[in-house]
Amino acid sequence: MASELTPETLEILRKDPLKSALTATTLQNFQMAKQFPDNKQALTSIDFDPTGQHCITTSLDESLRIYDCMSGTRAQVSYSKKYGCNLARFAGQPGCVAYASTKLNDTVRYLSYETNQFIRYFVGHTGMVTSLQRAPDAQSLVSAGMDGTVRMWSVDEVKPTGTVSVGGDGVVAAIDPSGVVVAAAVAGTREIRLYDVRKLTRGAFASAVLDTRATCAGLEFARPTGAHMVLAMSDGTVLVVDAFALGVRAVLVDTAPGTDRSAADLSAPVLQQMQERRFGQGVTTTPDGRTVIAGCENGSVAYWDIEAAVARSGAGPRGAAPAVCAPTGVWSGSHDGPVGVCAFNPELMECASGAQALTLWTSI
């Protein structure tokens, strides 16, 4: 493992991007600060805790690894060989995480990583879990799966606090920064639906069909307002969608070579194939909601200015197709393969990305 981060780099990381704006120059100057070649196979998810002090990864080698973002060191490692692991999320009390099983069943497991003991199991999904997100209160979770359901969970209860069946060939879901709205992207129908968390079973209060042939493999609200959603699509594009009108405002394309991620195995649903290939976790937004970040097939990380992309669409004739936008910039590093997972620290000037190794980026 590489040495600890220098004091100068730590000082940069401790800057709060919500107070110290992530300007174009700042993003352009992001460089690889630390790399952890700890895993034997590719990473499948990354998550930061609400304080930004720790991050957790899951991998195809069935490990859960926790890193200290303040010192730039690996803090702990656990294995889930019996059940597999994916989509690990910090939730509930400090020292606890929830993650999706990938073997035996489709249960979401709630683990104390400090004692390495399960606290409870969230049982309900009957198909691969495709989404698992922490609600803003950190005490609730929203999940979605190949069984076509979206479920809300309290970390203190075994049974879901709400369930809605949306059908289709699977679904991915996300919760907005206010914790009030859940968005669901339905595979097969290409439909986006919005639900009130407090009235989940009453059905969607808004919906729209996307004008695309691709399947949504990942969904996230842009913080802090949730005015936009970003959708990672199976054709390698990223859609910026107005979270109120549900219209596509921009299409972000990755110009790096080898970005064709379209499905090849026609025996399985497209969404399932995308999840198995880890596509959907590689797109995220910065805490100020102004930038989309996505991993590339060639081992680099690309980013787009959301406001500039949307403005390009607005400058076109009324009713015209949304603008197709190349990356604003690219961070080139020494990733050991396609970058399948990305996440931006909610409190520190730091981005994490992963192929097989975890990489921490910051502005130098």
Side-chain angles (χ1 to χ4, degrees), residues 36-46 57-65 67 79-81 84-85 102-103 276 278 335-338 340-341 353-359:
F36 299 89
D38 296 337
N39 294 94
K40 297 179 180 179
Q41 296 185 63
L43 300 184
T44 56
S45 69
I46 301 176
T57 66
T58 58
S59 168
L60 292 176
D61 64 15
E62 299 174 338
S63 67
L64 299 98
R65 300 177 190 269
Y67 297 86
Y79 287 91
S80 183
K81 294 293 186 180
C85 57
T102 60
K103 297 193 301 186
E276 290 173 348
R278 305 177 304 285
H335 267 301
D336 47 8
V341 290
S353 62
Q356 182 169 316
L358 172 69
T359 296

Side-chain angles (χ1 to χ4, degrees), residues 1 33 121 279 301 348:
M1 183 182 298
Y121 306 124
F279 184 61
V301 177
L348 309 179

Side-chain angles (χ1 to χ4, degrees), residues 62-122:
E62 299 174 338
S63 67
L64 299 98
R65 300 177 190 269
I66 295 173
Y67 297 86
D68 186 323
C69 300
M70 303 301 291
S71 63
T73 58
R74 189 186 70 210
Q76 194 167 339
V77 58
S78 300
Y79 287 91
S80 183
K81 294 293 186 180
K82 183 177 181 179
Y83 305 110
C85 57
N86 191 19
L87 304 174
R89 304 290 183 248
F90 291 98
Q93 299 300 315
C96 298
V97 296
Y99 69 89
S101 307
T102 60
K103 297 193 301 186
L104 293 185
N105 53 43
D106 304 295
T107 297
V108 175
R109 302 177 188 279
Y110 189 42
L111 172 74
S112 168
Y113 61 80
E114 294 181 341
T115 63
N116 200 31
Q117 294 181 330
F118 290 114
I119 300 172
R120 60 184 52 88
Y121 306 124
F122 304 127

Side-chain angles (χ1 to χ4, degrees), residues 13-270:
L13 291 177
R14 292 189 179 104
K15 292 180 181 179
D16 186 345
L18 296 178
K19 299 176 182 177
S20 201
L22 282 164
T23 64
T25 301
T26 302
L27 288 167
Q28 185 178 358
N29 291 333
F30 260 61
Q31 296 181 22
M32 186 179 291
K34 186 75 177 284
Q35 192 169 68
F36 299 89
D38 296 337
N39 294 94
K40 297 179 180 179
Q41 296 185 63
L43 300 184
T44 56
S45 69
I46 301 176
D47 185 51
F48 287 96
D49 73 356
T51 70
Q53 296 187 25
H54 297 93
C55 77
I56 185 170
T57 66
T58 58
S59 168
L60 292 176
D61 64 15
E62 299 174 338
S63 67
L64 299 98
R65 300 177 190 269
I66 295 173
Y67 297 86
D68 186 323
C69 300
M70 303 301 291
S71 63
T73 58
R74 189 186 70 210
Q76 194 167 339
V77 58
S78 300
Y79 287 91
S80 183
K81 294 293 186 180
K82 183 177 181 179
Y83 305 110
C85 57
N86 191 19
L87 304 174
R89 304 290 183 248
F90 291 98
Q93 299 300 315
C96 298
V97 296
Y99 69 89
S101 307
T102 60
K103 297 193 301 186
L104 293 185
N105 53 43
D106 304 295
T107 297
V108 175
R109 302 177 188 279
Y110 189 42
L111 172 74
S112 168
Y113 61 80
E114 294 181 341
T115 63
N116 200 31
Q117 294 181 330
F118 290 114
I119 300 172
R120 60 184 52 88
Y121 306 124
F122 304 127
V123 181
H125 282 294
T126 57
M128 176 194 297
V129 175
T130 57
S131 299
L132 184 63
Q133 287 195 4
R134 175 181 61 248
D137 65 4
Q139 304 302 309
S140 304
L141 298 160
V142 60
S143 64
M146 289 302 301
D147 59 3
T149 66
V150 176
R151 300 170 188 266
M152 291 293 302
W153 310 87
S154 165
V155 296
D156 297 321
E157 301 179 28
V158 174
K159 296 182 179 181
T161 57
T163 301
V164 61
S165 178
V166 300
D169 296 324
V171 59
V172 293
I175 191 164
D176 82 322
S178 71
V180 174
V181 176
V182 167
V186 187
T189 67
R190 276 54 168 174
E191 189 177 8
I192 296 289
R193 302 180 188 177
L194 300 182
Y195 297 86
D196 187 325
V197 169
R198 299 159 296 185
K199 306 172 184 177
L200 195 62
T201 58
R202 297 188 183 181
F205 65 82
S207 64
V209 177
L210 298 175
D211 185 15
T212 176
R213 299 176 66 180
T215 295
C216 179
L219 171 64
E220 181 177 313
F221 280 92
R223 300 164 288 175
T225 64
H228 293 102
M229 294 183 286
V230 292
L231 281 63
M233 307 303 292
S234 60
D235 60 1
T237 63
V238 178
L239 305 185
V240 178
V241 174
D242 186 313
F244 301 101
L246 297 183
V248 177
R249 302 299 303 277
V251 180
L252 312 181
V253 294
D254 179 357
T255 57
T259 56
D260 182 12
R261 295 164 172 157
S262 58
D265 180 9
L266 300 180
S267 65
V270 174

